[in-house]
PDB file of all heavy atoms in Angstrom:
ATOM      1  N   TYR M 148     -13.007  43.501 -36.121  1.00 92.00           N
ATOM      2  CA  TYR M 148     -13.797  44.524 -36.835  1.00 92.00           C
ATOM      3  C   TYR M 148     -14.593  43.883 -37.966  1.00 92.00           C
ATOM      4  O   TYR M 148     -15.794  44.111 -38.105  1.00 92.00           O
ATOM      5  CB  TYR M 148     -12.864  45.603 -37.395  1.00 92.00           C
ATOM      6  CG  TYR M 148     -13.577  46.620 -38.250  1.00 92.00           C
ATOM      7  CD1 TYR M 148     -14.122  47.761 -37.674  1.00 92.00           C
ATOM      8  CD2 TYR M 148     -13.714  46.443 -39.621  1.00 92.00           C
ATOM      9  CE1 TYR M 148     -14.787  48.700 -38.454  1.00 92.00           C
ATOM     10  CE2 TYR M 148     -14.378  47.370 -40.407  1.00 92.00           C
ATOM     11  CZ  TYR M 148     -14.907  48.496 -39.816  1.00 92.00           C
ATOM     12  OH  TYR M 148     -15.569  49.414 -40.588  1.00 92.00           O
ATOM     13  N   ILE M 149     -13.932  43.076 -38.764  1.00 93.00           N
ATOM     14  CA  ILE M 149     -14.581  42.422 -39.909  1.00 93.00           C
ATOM     15  C   ILE M 149     -15.730  41.537 -39.434  1.00 93.00           C
ATOM     16  O   ILE M 149     -16.831  41.580 -39.985  1.00 93.00           O
ATOM     17  CB  ILE M 149     -13.548  41.614 -40.728  1.00 93.00           C
ATOM     18  CG1 ILE M 149     -12.616  42.582 -41.453  1.00 93.00           C
ATOM     19  CG2 ILE M 149     -14.233  40.678 -41.708  1.00 93.00           C
ATOM     20  CD1 ILE M 149     -11.404  41.928 -42.096  1.00 93.00           C
ATOM     21  N   GLU M 150     -15.503  40.784 -38.391  1.00 93.00           N
ATOM     22  CA  GLU M 150     -16.533  39.892 -37.856  1.00 93.00           C
ATOM     23  C   GLU M 150     -17.759  40.673 -37.384  1.00 93.00           C
ATOM     24  O   GLU M 150     -18.895  40.331 -37.707  1.00 93.00           O
ATOM     25  CB  GLU M 150     -15.951  39.080 -36.702  1.00 93.00           C
ATOM     26  CG  GLU M 150     -16.926  38.129 -36.069  1.00 93.00           C
ATOM     27  CD  GLU M 150     -16.320  37.376 -34.894  1.00 93.00           C
ATOM     28  OE1 GLU M 150     -15.162  36.908 -35.014  1.00 93.00           O
ATOM     29  OE2 GLU M 150     -16.993  37.274 -33.860  1.00 93.00           O
ATOM     30  N   LYS M 151     -17.521  41.742 -36.640  1.00 93.00           N
ATOM     31  CA  LYS M 151     -18.631  42.530 -36.097  1.00 93.00           C
ATOM     32  C   LYS M 151     -19.387  43.260 -37.204  1.00 93.00           C
ATOM     33  O   LYS M 151     -20.613  43.348 -37.172  1.00 93.00           O
ATOM     34  CB  LYS M 151     -18.122  43.500 -35.039  1.00 93.00           C
ATOM     35  CG  LYS M 151     -17.711  42.790 -33.773  1.00 93.00           C
ATOM     36  CD  LYS M 151     -17.250  43.743 -32.712  1.00 93.00           C
ATOM     37  CE  LYS M 151     -16.908  42.953 -31.456  1.00 93.00           C
ATOM     38  NZ  LYS M 151     -16.740  43.796 -30.301  1.00 93.00           N
ATOM     39  N   TYR M 152     -18.662  43.794 -38.169  1.00 93.00           N
ATOM     40  CA  TYR M 152     -19.308  44.529 -39.257  1.00 93.00           C
ATOM     41  C   TYR M 152     -20.168  43.578 -40.089  1.00 93.00           C
ATOM     42  O   TYR M 152     -21.317  43.898 -40.418  1.00 93.00           O
ATOM     43  CB  TYR M 152     -18.253  45.201 -40.132  1.00 93.00           C
ATOM     44  CG  TYR M 152     -18.787  46.357 -40.947  1.00 93.00           C
ATOM     45  CD1 TYR M 152     -18.601  47.664 -40.528  1.00 93.00           C
ATOM     46  CD2 TYR M 152     -19.475  46.140 -42.141  1.00 93.00           C
ATOM     47  CE1 TYR M 152     -19.079  48.730 -41.280  1.00 93.00           C
ATOM     48  CE2 TYR M 152     -19.957  47.199 -42.885  1.00 93.00           C
ATOM     49  CZ  TYR M 152     -19.758  48.487 -42.454  1.00 93.00           C
ATOM     50  OH  TYR M 152     -20.237  49.549 -43.191  1.00 93.00           O
ATOM     51  N   GLU M 153     -19.628  42.426 -40.425  1.00 93.00           N
ATOM     52  CA  GLU M 153     -20.393  41.448 -41.207  1.00 93.00           C
ATOM     53  C   GLU M 153     -21.637  41.001 -40.446  1.00 93.00           C
ATOM     54  O   GLU M 153     -22.714  40.872 -41.030  1.00 93.00           O
ATOM     55  CB  GLU M 153     -19.531  40.234 -41.546  1.00 93.00           C
ATOM     56  CG  GLU M 153     -18.537  40.501 -42.628  1.00 93.00           C
ATOM     57  CD  GLU M 153     -17.663  39.304 -42.962  1.00 93.00           C
ATOM     58  OE1 GLU M 153     -17.337  38.508 -42.058  1.00 93.00           O
ATOM     59  OE2 GLU M 153     -17.305  39.177 -44.135  1.00 93.00           O
ATOM     60  N   LYS M 154     -21.500  40.771 -39.164  1.00 93.00           N
ATOM     61  CA  LYS M 154     -22.636  40.351 -38.355  1.00 93.00           C
ATOM     62  C   LYS M 154     -23.713  41.429 -38.357  1.00 93.00           C
ATOM     63  O   LYS M 154     -24.906  41.128 -38.493  1.00 93.00           O
ATOM     64  CB  LYS M 154     -22.193  40.050 -36.921  1.00 93.00           C
ATOM     65  CG  LYS M 154     -23.311  39.550 -36.041  1.00 93.00           C
ATOM     66  CD  LYS M 154     -22.813  39.216 -34.643  1.00 93.00           C
ATOM     67  CE  LYS M 154     -23.970  38.718 -33.785  1.00 93.00           C
ATOM     68  NZ  LYS M 154     -23.534  38.459 -32.406  1.00 93.00           N
ATOM     69  N   CYS M 155     -23.297  42.673 -38.237  1.00 93.00           N
ATOM     70  CA  CYS M 155     -24.253  43.773 -38.241  1.00 93.00           C
ATOM     71  C   CYS M 155     -24.989  43.830 -39.580  1.00 93.00           C
ATOM     72  O   CYS M 155     -26.219  43.955 -39.617  1.00 93.00           O
ATOM     73  CB  CYS M 155     -23.538  45.093 -37.971  1.00 93.00           C
ATOM     74  SG  CYS M 155     -24.659  46.512 -37.908  1.00 93.00           S
ATOM     75  N   LEU M 156     -24.257  43.745 -40.664  1.00 92.00           N
ATOM     76  CA  LEU M 156     -24.882  43.814 -41.987  1.00 92.00           C
ATOM     77  C   LEU M 156     -25.861  42.675 -42.225  1.00 92.00           C
ATOM     78  O   LEU M 156     -26.877  42.858 -42.892  1.00 92.00           O
ATOM     79  CB  LEU M 156     -23.817  43.809 -43.094  1.00 92.00           C
ATOM     80  CG  LEU M 156     -23.059  45.106 -43.310  1.00 92.00           C
ATOM     81  CD1 LEU M 156     -22.011  44.926 -44.399  1.00 92.00           C
ATOM     82  CD2 LEU M 156     -23.982  46.249 -43.671  1.00 92.00           C
ATOM     83  N   THR M 157     -25.563  41.511 -41.703  1.00 91.00           N
ATOM     84  CA  THR M 157     -26.417  40.363 -41.984  1.00 91.00           C
ATOM     85  C   THR M 157     -27.561  40.188 -40.991  1.00 91.00           C
ATOM     86  O   THR M 157     -28.555  39.542 -41.333  1.00 91.00           O
ATOM     87  CB  THR M 157     -25.601  39.051 -42.018  1.00 91.00           C
ATOM     88  OG1 THR M 157     -24.924  38.882 -40.775  1.00 91.00           O
ATOM     89  CG2 THR M 157     -24.592  39.073 -43.147  1.00 91.00           C
ATOM     90  N   THR M 158     -27.454  40.755 -39.797  1.00 90.00           N
ATOM     91  CA  THR M 158     -28.492  40.510 -38.797  1.00 90.00           C
ATOM     92  C   THR M 158     -29.372  41.721 -38.485  1.00 90.00           C
ATOM     93  O   THR M 158     -30.489  41.536 -38.020  1.00 90.00           O
ATOM     94  CB  THR M 158     -27.889  40.004 -37.477  1.00 90.00           C
ATOM     95  OG1 THR M 158     -27.010  40.999 -36.942  1.00 90.00           O
ATOM     96  CG2 THR M 158     -27.152  38.689 -37.678  1.00 90.00           C
ATOM     97  N   SER M 159     -28.899  42.919 -38.727  1.00 89.00           N
ATOM     98  CA  SER M 159     -29.690  44.092 -38.376  1.00 89.00           C
ATOM     99  C   SER M 159     -30.853  44.275 -39.344  1.00 89.00           C
ATOM    100  O   SER M 159     -30.690  44.264 -40.560  1.00 89.00           O
ATOM    101  CB  SER M 159     -28.831  45.357 -38.388  1.00 89.00           C
ATOM    102  OG  SER M 159     -29.643  46.487 -38.085  1.00 89.00           O
ATOM    103  N   THR M 160     -32.016  44.465 -38.765  1.00 90.00           N
ATOM    104  CA  THR M 160     -33.201  44.728 -39.591  1.00 90.00           C
ATOM    105  C   THR M 160     -33.480  46.229 -39.679  1.00 90.00           C
ATOM    106  O   THR M 160     -34.420  46.636 -40.343  1.00 90.00           O
ATOM    107  CB  THR M 160     -34.434  44.028 -38.979  1.00 90.00           C
ATOM    108  OG1 THR M 160     -34.613  44.486 -37.631  1.00 90.00           O
ATOM    109  CG2 THR M 160     -34.270  42.516 -39.004  1.00 90.00           C
ATOM    110  N   LYS M 161     -32.653  47.028 -39.028  1.00 92.00           N
ATOM    111  CA  LYS M 161     -32.869  48.470 -39.011  1.00 92.00           C
ATOM    112  C   LYS M 161     -32.081  49.216 -40.089  1.00 92.00           C
ATOM    113  O   LYS M 161     -32.235  50.412 -40.240  1.00 92.00           O
ATOM    114  CB  LYS M 161     -32.521  49.031 -37.635  1.00 92.00           C
ATOM    115  CG  LYS M 161     -33.447  48.505 -36.562  1.00 92.00           C
ATOM    116  CD  LYS M 161     -33.349  49.305 -35.308  1.00 92.00           C
ATOM    117  CE  LYS M 161     -34.394  48.815 -34.342  1.00 92.00           C
ATOM    118  NZ  LYS M 161     -34.996  49.879 -33.597  1.00 92.00           N
ATOM    119  N   ILE M 162     -31.244  48.524 -40.823  1.00 93.00           N
ATOM    120  CA  ILE M 162     -30.470  49.166 -41.883  1.00 93.00           C
ATOM    121  C   ILE M 162     -31.328  49.162 -43.147  1.00 93.00           C
ATOM    122  O   ILE M 162     -31.705  48.098 -43.631  1.00 93.00           O
ATOM    123  CB  ILE M 162     -29.145  48.440 -42.153  1.00 93.00           C
ATOM    124  CG1 ILE M 162     -28.295  48.350 -40.888  1.00 93.00           C
ATOM    125  CG2 ILE M 162     -28.370  49.147 -43.264  1.00 93.00           C
ATOM    126  CD1 ILE M 162     -27.047  47.497 -41.034  1.00 93.00           C
ATOM    127  N   LYS M 167     -27.710  49.520 -46.767  1.00 93.00           N
ATOM    128  CA  LYS M 167     -27.006  48.246 -46.595  1.00 93.00           C
ATOM    129  C   LYS M 167     -26.156  47.937 -47.826  1.00 93.00           C
ATOM    130  O   LYS M 167     -25.015  47.499 -47.710  1.00 93.00           O
ATOM    131  CB  LYS M 167     -28.003  47.123 -46.346  1.00 93.00           C
ATOM    132  CG  LYS M 167     -27.350  45.812 -45.972  1.00 93.00           C
ATOM    133  CD  LYS M 167     -28.369  44.745 -45.659  1.00 93.00           C
ATOM    134  CE  LYS M 167     -28.884  44.917 -44.261  1.00 93.00           C
ATOM    135  NZ  LYS M 167     -29.621  43.744 -43.759  1.00 93.00           N
ATOM    136  N   MET M 170     -23.172  50.258 -47.737  1.00 94.00           N
ATOM    137  CA  MET M 170     -22.269  49.863 -46.658  1.00 94.00           C
ATOM    138  C   MET M 170     -21.500  48.601 -47.030  1.00 94.00           C
ATOM    139  O   MET M 170     -20.312  48.494 -46.732  1.00 94.00           O
ATOM    140  CB  MET M 170     -23.068  49.647 -45.372  1.00 94.00           C
ATOM    141  CG  MET M 170     -23.635  50.923 -44.788  1.00 94.00           C
ATOM    142  SD  MET M 170     -24.894  50.629 -43.525  1.00 94.00           S
ATOM    143  CE  MET M 170     -23.914  49.973 -42.195  1.00 94.00           C
ATOM    144  N   GLN M 171     -22.168  47.662 -47.677  1.00 95.00           N
ATOM    145  CA  GLN M 171     -21.505  46.424 -48.083  1.00 95.00           C
ATOM    146  C   GLN M 171     -20.396  46.710 -49.089  1.00 95.00           C
ATOM    147  O   GLN M 171     -19.309  46.150 -49.008  1.00 95.00           O
ATOM    148  CB  GLN M 171     -22.522  45.442 -48.678  1.00 95.00           C
ATOM    149  CG  GLN M 171     -21.904  44.106 -49.054  1.00 95.00           C
ATOM    150  CD  GLN M 171     -21.433  43.302 -47.856  1.00 95.00           C
ATOM    151  OE1 GLN M 171     -22.211  43.054 -46.935  1.00 95.00           O
ATOM    152  NE2 GLN M 171     -20.193  42.867 -47.855  1.00 95.00           N
ATOM    153  N   THR M 205     -16.774  53.199 -36.143  1.00 91.00           N
ATOM    154  CA  THR M 205     -17.875  52.371 -36.632  1.00 91.00           C
ATOM    155  C   THR M 205     -18.788  51.965 -35.488  1.00 91.00           C
ATOM    156  O   THR M 205     -20.003  51.857 -35.672  1.00 91.00           O
ATOM    157  CB  THR M 205     -17.331  51.138 -37.369  1.00 91.00           C
ATOM    158  OG1 THR M 205     -16.456  51.586 -38.401  1.00 91.00           O
ATOM    159  CG2 THR M 205     -18.445  50.329 -37.987  1.00 91.00           C
ATOM    160  N   ALA M 208     -21.257  54.687 -35.165  1.00 87.00           N
ATOM    161  CA  ALA M 208     -22.150  54.761 -36.315  1.00 87.00           C
ATOM    162  C   ALA M 208     -23.160  53.615 -36.320  1.00 87.00           C
ATOM    163  O   ALA M 208     -24.325  53.808 -36.687  1.00 87.00           O
ATOM    164  CB  ALA M 208     -21.334  54.752 -37.601  1.00 87.00           C
ATOM    165  N   MET M 209     -22.742  52.435 -35.931  1.00 90.00           N
ATOM    166  CA  MET M 209     -23.612  51.274 -35.964  1.00 90.00           C
ATOM    167  C   MET M 209     -24.586  51.209 -34.792  1.00 90.00           C
ATOM    168  O   MET M 209     -25.530  50.416 -34.817  1.00 90.00           O
ATOM    169  CB  MET M 209     -22.776  49.993 -36.015  1.00 90.00           C
ATOM    170  CG  MET M 209     -21.994  49.837 -37.284  1.00 90.00           C
ATOM    171  SD  MET M 209     -23.069  49.852 -38.724  1.00 90.00           S
ATOM    172  CE  MET M 209     -22.030  49.073 -39.922  1.00 90.00           C
ATOM    173  N   ALA M 210     -24.387  52.026 -33.801  1.00 88.00           N
ATOM    174  CA  ALA M 210     -25.310  52.047 -32.659  1.00 88.00           C
ATOM    175  C   ALA M 210     -26.732  52.372 -33.114  1.00 88.00           C
ATOM    176  O   ALA M 210     -27.706  51.870 -32.563  1.00 88.00           O
ATOM    177  CB  ALA M 210     -24.830  53.043 -31.617  1.00 88.00           C
ATOM    178  N   ALA M 211     -26.853  53.194 -34.138  1.00 88.00           N
ATOM    179  CA  ALA M 211     -28.170  53.555 -34.659  1.00 88.00           C
ATOM    180  C   ALA M 211     -28.921  52.368 -35.224  1.00 88.00           C
ATOM    181  O   ALA M 211     -30.145  52.391 -35.344  1.00 88.00           O
ATOM    182  CB  ALA M 211     -28.015  54.637 -35.728  1.00 88.00           C
ATOM    183  N   TYR M 212     -28.191  51.325 -35.597  1.00 91.00           N
ATOM    184  CA  TYR M 212     -28.807  50.131 -36.185  1.00 91.00           C
ATOM    185  C   TYR M 212     -28.941  48.993 -35.171  1.00 91.00           C
ATOM    186  O   TYR M 212     -29.217  47.859 -35.542  1.00 91.00           O
ATOM    187  CB  TYR M 212     -27.990  49.660 -37.389  1.00 91.00           C
ATOM    188  CG  TYR M 212     -27.862  50.708 -38.452  1.00 91.00           C
ATOM    189  CD1 TYR M 212     -26.611  51.166 -38.860  1.00 91.00           C
ATOM    190  CD2 TYR M 212     -28.975  51.258 -39.067  1.00 91.00           C
ATOM    191  CE1 TYR M 212     -26.487  52.126 -39.860  1.00 91.00           C
ATOM    192  CE2 TYR M 212     -28.859  52.223 -40.044  1.00 91.00           C
ATOM    193  CZ  TYR M 212     -27.618  52.657 -40.430  1.00 91.00           C
ATOM    194  OH  TYR M 212     -27.500  53.615 -41.402  1.00 91.00           O
ATOM    195  N   ASN M 213     -28.719  49.302 -33.891  1.00 89.00           N
ATOM    196  CA  ASN M 213     -28.796  48.313 -32.814  1.00 89.00           C
ATOM    197  C   ASN M 213     -27.851  47.135 -33.016  1.00 89.00           C
ATOM    198  O   ASN M 213     -28.203  45.993 -32.688  1.00 89.00           O
ATOM    199  CB  ASN M 213     -30.219  47.809 -32.622  1.00 89.00           C
ATOM    200  CG  ASN M 213     -31.121  48.867 -32.014  1.00 89.00           C
ATOM    201  OD1 ASN M 213     -30.659  49.831 -31.438  1.00 89.00           O
ATOM    202  ND2 ASN M 213     -32.414  48.685 -32.173  1.00 89.00           N
ATOM    203  N   CYS M 214     -26.682  47.394 -33.550  1.00 89.00           N
ATOM    204  CA  CYS M 214     -25.694  46.346 -33.733  1.00 89.00           C
ATOM    205  C   CYS M 214     -24.845  46.223 -32.473  1.00 89.00           C
ATOM    206  O   CYS M 214     -24.463  47.219 -31.876  1.00 89.00           O
ATOM    207  CB  CYS M 214     -24.792  46.656 -34.921  1.00 89.00           C
ATOM    208  SG  CYS M 214     -25.658  46.618 -36.487  1.00 89.00           S
ATOM    209  N   GLU M 215     -24.563  44.983 -32.098  1.00 81.00           N
ATOM    210  CA  GLU M 215     -23.679  44.749 -30.958  1.00 81.00           C
ATOM    211  C   GLU M 215     -22.251  44.988 -31.403  1.00 81.00           C
ATOM    212  O   GLU M 215     -21.803  44.424 -32.377  1.00 81.00           O
ATOM    213  CB  GLU M 215     -23.819  43.319 -30.454  1.00 81.00           C
ATOM    214  CG  GLU M 215     -25.166  43.038 -29.837  1.00 81.00           C
ATOM    215  CD  GLU M 215     -25.259  41.615 -29.319  1.00 81.00           C
ATOM    216  OE1 GLU M 215     -24.222  41.012 -29.010  1.00 81.00           O
ATOM    217  OE2 GLU M 215     -26.393  41.140 -29.226  1.00 81.00           O
ATOM    218  N   TRP M 216     -21.585  45.871 -30.736  1.00 77.00           N
ATOM    219  CA  TRP M 216     -20.220  46.187 -31.119  1.00 77.00           C
ATOM    220  C   TRP M 216     -19.402  46.038 -29.903  1.00 77.00           C
ATOM    221  O   TRP M 216     -18.479  46.078 -29.479  1.00 77.00           O
ATOM    222  CB  TRP M 216     -20.166  47.600 -31.699  1.00 77.00           C
ATOM    223  CG  TRP M 216     -19.074  47.726 -32.693  1.00 77.00           C
ATOM    224  CD1 TRP M 216     -17.815  48.176 -32.468  1.00 77.00           C
ATOM    225  CD2 TRP M 216     -19.117  47.382 -34.088  1.00 77.00           C
ATOM    226  NE1 TRP M 216     -17.085  48.141 -33.610  1.00 77.00           N
ATOM    227  CE2 TRP M 216     -17.856  47.661 -34.627  1.00 77.00           C
ATOM    228  CE3 TRP M 216     -20.083  46.869 -34.913  1.00 77.00           C
ATOM    229  CZ2 TRP M 216     -17.544  47.457 -35.954  1.00 77.00           C
ATOM    230  CZ3 TRP M 216     -19.780  46.670 -36.230  1.00 77.00           C
ATOM    231  CH2 TRP M 216     -18.524  46.968 -36.744  1.00 77.00           C
TER     232      TRP M 216
END
Side-chain angles (χ1 to χ4, degrees):
Y148 175 89
I149 290 170
E150 180 182 316
K151 289 182 178 193
Y152 201 100
E153 285 179 326
K154 183 178 180 183
C155 182
L156 284 178
T157 57
T158 62
S159 178
T160 57
K161 295 195 174 218
I162 303 173
K167 188 177 280 194
M170 291 166 70
Q171 183 67 54
T205 305
M209 294 302 200
Y212 302 121
N213 289 342
C214 293
E215 293 181 25
W216 209 265

